[in-house]
Amino acid sequence: FHEVELAPLSAEECRAVARGVRPGIAVDELERVVHRSGGLPLLVEELASGADESTLVRSLRARLSFLDEQARSSALLLAVSGRPLPDGLPGADALVEARVAVRPAEGLLAVRHALLAGALVEGAESDEVRACHVRLAELSDDPAVRAHHLVEAGEHHGARAAALEAVHAAESPGGRADALLLAARAAGLDDG
């Protein structure tokens, strides 16, 4: 994938975002939001809406408590995936409305911010995370992605088979090396 580093928002851009969230925000509070956010749009929005940094993760998790079980499961699936997924997940509209997810492109859905993804995964039971990895492996057509998720789920037989398939499908030496590392990790699951 191609990574693009974005510079923080300017002070004026932070003010505009904060006013978009809370049009009547007092000037002194607005300046605190600008100063404390470090130019990160998510923090600008959260701080402008009244969240404190120490309770930001709790605030983000609280949004999930208002969603139904299917939407919460979809949110965790998105968080575990670490990448956008097709926009057909149950509760997708509710996740976007709750500002948990965004639609970065037509037909795709993603967790709104890495901080939120981390909070989702951290707050989940290990069995839930494992089930997400298994589901993501089932959803993927890419053997390397399947192998990764099966390794994370502790499914050594399926992970090893998918990793070996990825070795044969790799089109570059780097891709083959990555697939071989996954195969080695899968083989190591037998011991641990």
Side-chain angles (χ1 to χ4, degrees):
F1 60 90
H2 181 71
E3 186 173 319
V4 177
E5 275 194 44
L6 300 175
L9 297 178
S10 69
E12 197 49 48
E13 289 168 328
C14 287
R15 288 182 193 98
V17 170
R19 285 187 189 110
V21 171
R22 210 164 108 209
I25 190 169
V27 174
D28 59 332
E29 188 175 355
L30 177 63
E31 293 309 311
R32 269 196 308 277
V33 167
V34 170
H35 176 73
R36 291 164 59 193
S37 71
L40 297 173
L42 174 70
L43 290 179
V44 172
E45 290 180 357
E46 294 302 319
L47 294 171
S49 69
D52 185 273
E53 298 101 319
S54 64
T55 60
L56 181 58
V57 170
R58 278 184 284 172
S59 167
L60 293 171
R61 283 185 187 154
R63 288 186 191 163
L64 296 172
S65 68
F66 296 103
L67 300 173
D68 66 28
E69 185 60 36
Q70 284 188 324
R72 285 194 301 272
S73 293
S74 292
L76 182 59
L77 191 68
L78 284 169
V80 170
S81 76
R83 62 181 61 177
L85 294 176
D87 190 7
L89 296 175
D93 289 337
L95 292 174
V96 171
E97 187 176 312
R99 297 183 6 218
V100 171
V102 293
R103 291 184 167 107
E106 181 73 29
L108 293 177
L109 188 69
V111 172
R112 185 164 167 248
H113 194 277
L115 178 65
L116 180 53
L120 287 165
V121 173
E122 183 182 306
E125 298 291 327
S126 59
D127 287 348
E128 293 175 308
V129 174
R130 182 186 173 288
C132 283
H133 281 296
V134 170
R135 179 74 178 124
L136 289 163
E138 292 168 353
L139 291 172
S140 180
D141 293 333
D142 183 332
V145 172
R146 276 197 321 272
H148 163 75
H149 286 297
L150 290 171
V151 164
E152 293 300 321
E155 299 283 336
H156 65 275
H157 293 297
R160 190 171 30 237
L164 292 176
E165 183 183 344
V167 169
H168 296 296
E171 296 179 2
S172 69
R176 277 188 288 286
D178 289 343
L180 286 168
L181 285 173
L182 280 170
R185 284 185 65 204
L189 290 174
D190 287 331
D191 301 328

